[in-house]
Amino acid sequence: AQSVAQPEDQVNVAEGNPLTVKCTYSVSGNPYLFWYVQYPNRGLQFLLKYITGDNLVKGSYGFEAEFNKSQTSFHLKKPSALVSDSALYFCAVRYSGGYQKVTFGTGTKLQVIP
Amino acid sequence: KAGVTQTPRYLIKTRGQQVTLSCSPISGHRSVSWYQQTPGQGLQFLFEYFSETQRNKGNFPGRFSGRQFSNSRSEMNVSTLELGDSALYLCASSLGTSPLYEQYFGPGTRLTVT
């Protein structure tokens, strides 16, 4: 069964420092990986996705993610964190073949400290 | 282009009642998915509709049902409400069911069951 894991419930980082939010996925077929962000009392917003090709994917608001097949990871990164980046981040996976549902991780709360 | 809209935004119901939530996808999007979000369980997939047909279903009891209309608008219904149904219900639309497509989320309907 497809699954993603976000091992950290919360990540704290100082403003201006680089940030990483971790995500690992189960190995089953060809995964398509996504990152979404959720601000308080809002729905989720799409940040970026990995389909195929270049392992480094660039997305919205300066975020990027690195697909690592050998480590089955898809970590979200940003070179310099902003206070406004504080939010809940979700990793998601969907596999090819038939009608596969999207599976979301449990979410990681990012707190950027001024 | 208008985003995904959900109505109502907030709802308070009592146990045993039923409720219907509505979702209007982004114009041109034909796939609509529903999720239940709670602090303890995270994002749980309910079902996905495409071309008025349910393509995928999550592990929820039969009290949860949905449908999609020819204009891609979707409704979900919960009958015989229980206290545990209190949650944020999110609707997401995408161009289709292919894993290539990211999802666009509405702001959600906050359901409180008393």
Side-chain angles (χ1 to χ4, degrees):
Chain A
Q2 62 184 40
S3 66
V4 288
Q6 294 180 245
E8 301 156 318
D9 290 336
Q10 181 159 335
V11 170
N12 297 322
V13 63
E15 186 178 23
N17 281 3
L19 69 87
T20 299
V21 182
K22 296 179 180 177
C23 171
T24 58
Y25 63 93
S26 61
V27 181
S28 175
N30 296 315
Y32 296 84
L33 295 154
F34 304 82
W35 275 103
Y36 292 85
V37 60
Q38 185 178 33
Y39 297 100
N41 301 314
R42 304 278 295 276
L44 279 68
Q45 294 179 34
F46 168 73
L47 277 178
L48 51 79
K49 64 182 176 183
Y50 172 81
I51 302 300
T52 187
D54 195 351
N55 290 342
L56 186 63
V57 180
K58 293 189 183 297
S60 306
Y61 313 121
F63 284 94
E64 57 189 26
E66 186 172 9
F67 174 70
N68 188 317
K69 189 173 182 179
S70 63
Q71 297 185 4
T72 63
S73 67
F74 188 58
H75 299 334
L76 181 71
K77 300 182 180 184
K78 188 174 183 181
S80 179
L82 300 173
V83 173
S84 58
D85 292 331
S86 299
L88 189 56
Y89 290 80
F90 290 93
C91 180
V93 66
R94 190 166 194 170
Y95 290 87
S96 61
Y99 292 106
Q100 300 287 343
K101 68 177 184 179
V102 178
T103 299
F104 284 83
T106 50
T108 298
K109 183 178 180 181
L110 174 67
Q111 193 76 31
V112 181
I113 303 162
Chain B
K1 191 183 272 191
V4 178
T5 58
Q6 292 187 245
T7 56
R9 291 293 310 278
Y10 302 92
L11 208 48
I12 300 175
K13 291 285 188 178
T14 57
R15 276 182 300 174
Q17 287 186 312
Q18 75 165 20
V19 66
T20 299
L21 311 181
S22 181
C23 172
S24 292
I26 291 172
S27 177
H29 284 194
R30 297 173 62 194
S31 174
V32 173
S33 298
W34 288 89
Y35 297 88
Q36 181 195 66
Q37 185 177 21
T38 59
Q41 298 294 318
L43 267 170
Q44 301 291 312
F45 171 77
L46 280 156
F47 24 68
E48 179 177 20
Y49 286 87
F50 179 77
S51 293
E52 302 177 65
T53 302
Q54 188 179 91
R55 303 294 181 172
N56 248 311
K57 189 177 190 305
N59 297 323
F60 278 81
R63 301 185 296 107
F64 291 81
S65 63
R67 59 178 175 169
Q68 187 181 35
F69 302 95
S70 58
N71 61 359
S72 295
R73 191 177 69 85
S74 178
E75 289 181 347
M76 68 163 280
N77 184 277
V78 188
S79 62
T80 319
L81 284 166
E82 300 177 0
L83 294 178
D85 296 334
S86 295
L88 181 66
Y89 289 88
L90 293 165
C91 165
S93 75
S94 61
L95 284 169
T97 57
S98 166
L100 297 173
Y101 299 130
E102 63 271 20
Q103 295 183 310
Y104 293 85
F105 285 78
T109 295
R110 173 76 63 185
L111 172 65
T112 302
V113 182
T114 61

